[in-house]
Amino acid sequence: MAPQESIESSSFSGDKKAVFTVSDEEKASPSATEPVYDGDQYLGQAPTEEELNTLRKVAGPVSGSGYWLCTVEFAERASYYGCTWVFQNFIQYPLPPGGNGAGASAPGSEKPAGALGQGLQVSSALTLLFKFLAYCIPIFGGWLADTRLGRYKTICIGVVICGVSHIIMVVGAIPSILQAGHGMAPFVVSLMILALGAGIFKPNISPTVMEQVTFKHPYIKTLKSGERVIVHPETTIQRLTLTFYALINVGAFFGLATSYAAKRVGYWLAFLLPGIIYFLMPIILALVYKKTIKTPPQGNILGDTLRVIKLAVQQNGFRKFGSEAYFDSVKPSELARKGIASYKGKPISWNDGFVDDVRRTLVACQIFLFYPIYYLNNGGIGSITNSQAGSMTTKGAPNDLVSNFNPLTIIIASPILNYGLYPLLRKHRIEFGPIKRITLGFVLAALSCVVGALLQWRVYETSPCGYHATECDIGNGVSPLSVWAQIPMYVLQALSELFAVVSGYELSFSRSPKSMRALVVALFLFMNAVSSAISQAVVPALADPHLIWPFVGTAVPGVLLAGVFYWMYRDLDKETFLREDSDSQQEILSEKDKN
């Protein structure tokens, strides 16, 4: 531990002199050529500035449980998306005429599977409410893990809650219940419980996965070929996060099975299959328990965070809020030079590194504010893409089948990026940092909505009902335009996620202190809830003949905001990706306050 010195000085509140303890040095990256350690294990020498600019960067080791935890996320997402993929049809359309009474369509029918018959607006409202809750509750889940229970225990609680939801959902889809018109109540109950369980689980799994990368600083390694390379934590976390996200979408691809199960057999099977996959999770969690690196709850440091922000505003106003110089004025070392050692009569309990963490976290949260518009582009508002597919020719395929090209594209493209494009860019020393990747993702999502607008226009032009195509009963009731024409839209959405969402996960981890990672991930996920709230507000407008404009209304601001975003944050790609945690020193200071 770094040596400490005591400084006597006056406080903000005018109280008597207080003793403030400050370390002589922060935990910083090792200087060039100094040894780099992971705990007590020697890894190699730190690279020089020249080596950082000339040597190739490669991924480093990951704890053995890291990839196993990715399979936990696969099982959870397979169950989650396997169910949610068929929610819209289940709510929107009635039991198909000539079907088997379980929600399946009659053989050869163009009619989609359905059960509750509540229409497009109710379908959009319920699915958006579910999405809003599933991405709003993570704030509670993140706080609970960081301050009270720890992430691993919180994950297990979420698993139990979601398990109860799956059981209720299957029971509510039994044919006799649907035919009696009693399917709505158990479905809504299971929907709310699933949102609660997913909200508790979701913010904790990704930081737990990324914490299996235990080294924090780049170091030199000589390969068997004789090539000297830099093993870099950013490259390692990027590869692990892409793998994590690819397995999310392997799980999401399970929607293909549930779509066909609903169309051919009924919703009881469509909800049962995800439940079977789901109950693999407790087994995997038990197997990797001892090998998993777990972060214990750190106590509530949100108070210190708010005090740092408040003090910075008092010192500087709001001009240049969030800049490095803005927060330098509230670092304890700077306050000590001004003769300040306490705040409101109490010794200052944070250190310089903690102030840096607050600044970096605030910048990440500012970046997250751009994501609601991105999410509106990435999937459209409400159920309009699914409803659009229901107005197109399917040749007997489920109308929600084509949406599976989103996870399929991610599954195919992830290894191409991980082992092809990104290594190629690094080999040629082309920097493609998270800000550039997010910007590209924003543009691709906007382009997907351009494709959606063009398709909706063609549906209107070719439907037997013209610009009232959604619930058309003339002829076969659909446009001759094939549902497979939606594939480019879903491919663009998928590629956008690999750049924008994956990089968002990386920033939420790398720019937050260890004691707040779940909460910061939750704030990132909360942008989905904001997007859903916006969508919910415009649900009444989702009606013929105006379904072209929801696509156009998000695509245009999406492109404009991508340009603004890159201009504002382009310099962040040059910042240190992962700071050494200040939490250990923070704990020392907090313990000193108690004595």
Side-chain angles (χ1 to χ4, degrees):
M1 185 177 70
Q4 310 281 322
E5 61 178 342
S6 296
I7 302 172
E8 289 192 353
S9 62
S10 60
S11 70
F12 274 99
S13 58
D15 294 324
K16 63 181 180 180
K17 291 182 178 181
V19 177
F20 167 59
T21 303
V22 60
S23 62
D24 288 335
E25 60 183 1
E26 295 290 334
K27 283 185 176 180
S29 298
S31 303
T33 72
E34 285 188 358
V36 176
Y37 290 89
D38 181 4
D40 295 329
Q41 181 184 2
Y42 172 74
L43 299 177
Q45 287 188 326
T48 64
E49 189 67 31
E50 181 182 357
E51 287 170 331
L52 279 170
N53 293 325
T54 57
L55 296 183
R56 185 165 64 93
K57 297 174 183 176
V58 300
V62 178
S63 167
S65 60
Y67 291 106
W68 276 109
L69 289 171
C70 289
T71 64
V72 170
E73 176 70 351
F74 150 73
E76 192 272 339
R77 291 291 96 178
S79 65
Y80 178 90
Y81 284 115
C83 290
T84 58
W85 222 260
V86 297
F87 279 173
Q88 292 173 351
N89 279 3
F90 182 80
I91 302 167
Q92 179 175 347
Y93 298 107
L95 291 171
N100 62 2
S105 304
S109 171
E110 288 289 329
K111 292 293 183 181
L116 302 181
Q118 298 297 311
L120 174 60
Q121 290 192 3
V122 173
S123 170
S124 292
L126 273 178
T127 53
L128 287 171
L129 175 62
F130 169 76
K131 186 177 179 182
F132 177 81
L133 291 174
Y135 287 104
C136 188
I137 293 172
I139 293 178
F140 168 72
W143 171 84
L144 184 67
D146 284 342
T147 63
R148 295 290 186 268
L149 301 179
R151 288 193 266 278
Y152 204 86
K153 186 181 291 186
T154 308
I155 287 170
C156 294
I157 292 173
V159 168
V160 172
I161 294 173
C162 287
V164 173
S165 170
H166 282 291
I167 293 171
I168 297 174
M169 195 172 293
V170 173
V171 172
I174 292 173
S176 60
I177 294 178
L178 295 179
Q179 293 168 25
H182 301 315
M184 190 70 169
F187 175 74
V188 172
V189 170
S190 65
L191 201 68
M192 297 302 103
I193 296 176
L194 183 62
L196 174 63
I200 290 174
F201 174 91
K202 187 65 176 172
N204 294 294
I205 187 65
S206 63
T208 302
V209 167
M210 293 180 212
E211 281 174 347
Q212 308 313 301
V213 178
T214 55
F215 71 100
K216 300 295 189 295
H217 307 294
Y219 61 90
I220 299 292
K221 179 181 179 180
T222 302
L223 302 179
K224 292 181 179 179
S225 63
E227 180 188 5
R228 296 175 74 243
V229 296
I230 297 174
V231 181
H232 206 287
E234 179 177 5
T235 306
T236 308
I237 290 175
Q238 182 188 70
R239 175 167 292 183
L240 182 59
T241 308
L242 265 173
T243 303
F244 173 81
Y245 201 72
L247 284 173
I248 287 178
N249 285 274
V250 173
F253 199 62
F254 199 67
L256 177 64
T258 56
S259 294
Y260 267 105
K263 179 79 172 178
R264 306 297 190 195
V265 180
Y267 283 99
W268 66 268
L269 182 61
F271 293 150
L272 176 62
L273 292 175
I276 294 172
I277 296 293
Y278 184 83
F279 285 103
L280 293 173
M281 292 175 62
I283 299 172
I284 300 172
L285 286 170
L287 290 174
V288 303
Y289 177 79
K290 292 184 178 180
K291 295 182 179 179
T292 302
I293 297 167
K294 307 175 193 70
T295 300
Q298 303 290 314
N300 191 1
I301 66 164
L302 191 58
D304 273 351
T305 302
L306 296 176
R307 281 187 281 272
V308 167
I309 296 171
K310 182 179 179 180
L311 187 54
V313 172
Q314 288 175 348
Q315 294 259 312
N316 305 301
F318 287 97
R319 188 176 181 183
K320 295 184 178 180
F321 180 78
S323 67
E324 188 168 356
Y326 187 92
F327 282 98
D328 281 347
S329 63
V330 295
K331 287 183 175 180
S333 57
E334 181 64 27
L335 294 174
R337 281 192 284 271
K338 298 176 182 178
I340 299 168
S342 64
Y343 179 64
K344 292 188 176 180
K346 295 182 180 180
I348 292 174
S349 57
W350 61 83
N351 61 14
D352 286 6
F354 182 75
V355 175
D356 286 334
D357 285 338
V358 170
R359 180 190 67 81
R360 286 168 59 87
T361 302
L362 278 176
V363 172
C365 291
Q366 291 170 9
I367 289 172
F368 298 162
L369 294 175
F370 284 82
Y371 274 81
I373 295 298
Y374 163 75
Y375 286 125
L376 291 175
N377 278 314
N378 185 41
I381 296 175
S383 304
I384 55 173
T385 55
N386 191 67
S387 182
Q388 181 185 84
S391 302
M392 304 168 79
T393 298
T394 63
K395 297 294 184 183
N399 68 306
D400 48 5
L401 172 66
V402 71
S403 56
N404 284 280
F405 274 86
N406 179 297
L408 178 61
T409 301
I410 290 173
I411 294 167
I412 294 172
S414 292
I416 294 174
L417 294 179
N418 241 345
Y419 301 101
L421 178 61
Y422 289 158
L424 181 65
L425 292 176
R426 289 192 290 266
K427 181 178 180 180
H428 292 281
R429 313 296 183 265
I430 299 173
E431 295 295 331
F432 192 41
I435 300 304
K436 292 186 180 72
R437 298 198 301 270
I438 292 171
T439 303
L440 177 58
F442 286 176
V443 172
L444 290 174
L447 290 177
S448 76
C449 268
V450 173
V451 174
L454 292 173
L455 286 176
Q456 189 62 48
W457 171 69
R458 288 301 301 158
V459 167
Y460 279 156
E461 290 293 315
T462 57
S463 170
C465 297
Y467 279 66
H468 293 82
T470 301
E471 297 181 1
C472 181
D473 290 324
I474 300 175
N476 62 6
V478 296
S479 163
L481 189 67
S482 173
V483 73
W484 302 107
Q486 285 189 320
I487 290 176
M489 178 173 64
Y490 286 108
V491 168
L492 287 170
Q493 289 174 10
L495 293 175
S496 80
E497 291 177 36
L498 287 173
F499 295 115
V501 179
V502 171
S503 298
Y505 274 117
E506 291 175 27
L507 287 177
S508 63
F509 177 81
S510 66
R511 298 190 70 86
S512 58
K514 182 172 64 176
S515 51
M516 291 181 63
R517 279 173 181 159
L519 184 58
V520 175
V521 170
L523 292 174
F524 174 59
L525 296 173
F526 180 68
M527 296 304 106
N528 259 298
V530 175
S531 171
S532 296
I534 296 171
S535 294
Q536 189 79 16
V538 300
V539 161
L542 299 181
D544 293 326
H546 308 297
L547 293 180
I548 296 174
W549 297 108
F551 291 105
V552 176
T554 56
V556 173
V559 172
L560 294 176
L561 285 176
V564 173
F565 170 80
Y566 183 73
W567 180 80
M568 289 179 64
Y569 297 107
R570 61 191 184 278
D571 291 335
L572 258 64
D573 281 342
K574 302 173 185 176
E575 285 195 11
T576 301
F577 176 75
L578 192 66
R579 259 182 42 82
E580 182 67 76
D581 292 319
S582 64
D583 293 288
S584 57
Q585 181 65 21
Q586 187 74 8
E587 291 165 10
I588 294 168
L589 291 171
S590 299
E591 189 64 33
K592 184 74 175 177
D593 294 338
K594 297 176 185 177
N595 296 333

